[in-house]
Amino acid sequence: MEIRRISVEDTLSLRRDVLYPDASLETVKVDQDEDGLHFGVFDGGQLVTVVSLFMGREEAQFRKLATLPAAQGKGYGKAVLAHLVDICRKEKIKLLWCNARDTAVSFYDRLGYVARGNYFIKGGINFIRMELPLEQSKAKTFEIIPAIDIIGGKCVRLTQGDYSQQKVYNEHPLEVAKEFEALGVRRLHLVDLDGAKKGAVVNWKVLENIAGKTSLVTDFGGGIKTDKDLGIVYECGAVLATIGSVAVKSPELFFSWVERYGADKIFLGADVKDEKLAVGGWLETTDLSVFDFLADNISRGVHNIFCTDIAKDGLLAGPSTELYKKIIAQFSGINFVASGGVSHIGDVAALQEIGCSGVIIGKAIYEGKISTAELKSFL
């Protein structure tokens, strides 16, 4: 999947065919089209989604979001809207909105948009204004991010990153993802453990299925080593790509991805053992300090970061709170997510208290150490 600027003329056929199939191309033009920013999502060179963005001083409206019927349900609309959010935030826009058809309200609602005012009718179609505030809240938000680890297409968990210590929790990851979505979860951490071990993306079908059939904002990692791997991950619907080993072993390649796709599309993973980095699905440890590694990456614009302490992961023995405190104290202003070791809801509260932006939770959920009611209190 590739998102890029296109001309207004390039949008018209798809606009018409999807939204107003009986209309002429001339009638699907909108006021100020020439002043708008127009974007297309391309899959294999084919234009599959279009949208137009109109920016004011503090607000921006997007119009005519349309995806080819054969390409719907694959996450293209969600991806291009995330792209618009990135653009608006860089331009200090405070509010992004659209007039949504009544049939699309649930889609926007799952993405965090809020309905304002009353429904109105235009051209025989019911619409309502949907808004997404973009101003950063003064109170730091905290996200619960369930993890789904994949081996052989199944949902598993490892203990301390050891592939010989795996337990299968569900043979159908989509079922697990839908359960999280029904609970009110908005984020998902999807890990291709086969890919991490092989050094190339393997379980992309699982990603495509979850991204296409839920509204979860999914990050995906494991085996992303090349431009082709990264393209597959975005094409299959990941909003963020989780990068670990490449950032350690091939930093200039990694920074080229940050430059090309934007830091908002990258989730940097720092897997740690005794404050040193581990790579390759935790199969290889290095002599690189996590603090030196983070300092270098943050200086290059990376700001979405999570850290997993292998010594804690999968043991239900509590997170590495002291390590995370040190990271947060040294690198203020980043979105730092804790991972590994969470054993009960008190651990979650403690991580929020020390200033984490969120927490990735796996085994504690699957083993019933944290109840759905307890999770909901943080959603």
Side-chain angles (χ1 to χ4, degrees), residues 5-16 25-26 28-40 47 50-54 64:
R5 287 277 300 274
I6 58 176
S7 69
V8 62
E9 288 76 17
D10 292 332
T11 71
L12 297 181
S13 291
L14 207 155
R15 260 191 206 178
R16 188 269 312 276
L25 292 181
E26 188 64 30
V28 299
K29 292 181 179 179
V30 300
D31 294 341
Q32 289 85 46
D33 243 344
E34 296 302 324
D35 298 324
L37 303 177
H38 309 281
F39 298 90
L47 181 62
V50 296
V51 69
S52 299
L53 180 67
F54 302 88
K64 308 304 181 186

Side-chain angles (χ1 to χ4, degrees), residues 1 71-80 208 211-213 234 236-237 239:
M1 176 176 63
Q72 291 176 7
K74 295 184 178 181
Y76 297 126
K78 183 166 59 176
V80 77
E208 187 175 57
K213 295 180 180 178
Y234 288 134
C236 290
V239 175

Side-chain angles (χ1 to χ4, degrees), residues 142-146 185-187 348 358-359 361 365 375 378-379:
F142 184 80
E143 289 190 297
I144 299 294
I145 311 174
V185 168
R186 292 185 181 274
R187 282 284 307 274
V348 176
V359 58
I361 312 174
I365 296 175
L375 270 186
F378 282 87
L379 297 175

Side-chain angles (χ1 to χ4, degrees), residues 180-249:
F180 288 137
E181 182 181 37
L183 190 63
V185 168
R186 292 185 181 274
R187 282 284 307 274
L188 182 68
H189 182 64
L190 191 58
V191 183
D192 181 359
L193 290 174
D194 290 317
K197 194 171 186 180
K198 181 180 179 181
V201 174
V202 174
N203 288 292
W204 58 269
K205 273 286 187 184
V206 176
L207 168 62
E208 187 175 57
N209 214 16
I210 290 174
K213 295 180 180 178
T214 75
S215 63
L216 294 168
V217 175
T218 302
D219 65 78
F220 180 93
I224 302 174
K225 306 294 185 186
T226 66
D227 290 339
K228 181 180 179 182
D229 291 323
L230 189 58
I232 289 171
V233 167
Y234 288 134
E235 182 177 329
C236 290
V239 175
L240 298 98
T242 301
I243 310 294
S245 298
V246 168
V248 179
K249 293 185 170 183

Side-chain angles (χ1 to χ4, degrees), residues 111-130:
L111 296 179
Y113 289 76
V114 178
R116 299 295 185 198
N118 299 315
Y119 281 94
F120 61 93
I121 299 175
K122 183 177 180 181
I125 300 171
N126 289 321
F127 292 91
I128 192 168
R129 180 174 168 125
M130 302 289 292

Side-chain angles (χ1 to χ4, degrees), residues 72-130:
Q72 291 176 7
K74 295 184 178 181
Y76 297 126
K78 183 166 59 176
V80 77
L81 290 182
H83 186 71
L84 298 190
V85 168
D86 289 345
I87 291 170
C88 289
R89 284 194 167 132
K90 288 173 183 175
E91 296 299 322
K92 310 300 183 185
I93 296 294
K94 296 179 179 179
L95 184 74
L96 180 63
W97 65 279
C98 72
N99 288 323
R101 296 185 180 205
D102 56 1
T103 54
V105 167
S106 61
F107 167 74
Y108 291 113
D109 180 65
R110 289 192 296 269
L111 296 179
Y113 289 76
V114 178
R116 299 295 185 198
N118 299 315
Y119 281 94
F120 61 93
I121 299 175
K122 183 177 180 181
I125 300 171
N126 289 321
F127 292 91
I128 192 168
R129 180 174 168 125
M130 302 289 292

Side-chain angles (χ1 to χ4, degrees), residues 277-288:
L277 291 198
V279 295
W282 302 345
L283 298 175
E284 177 187 346
T285 55
T286 73
D287 292 325
L288 181 59

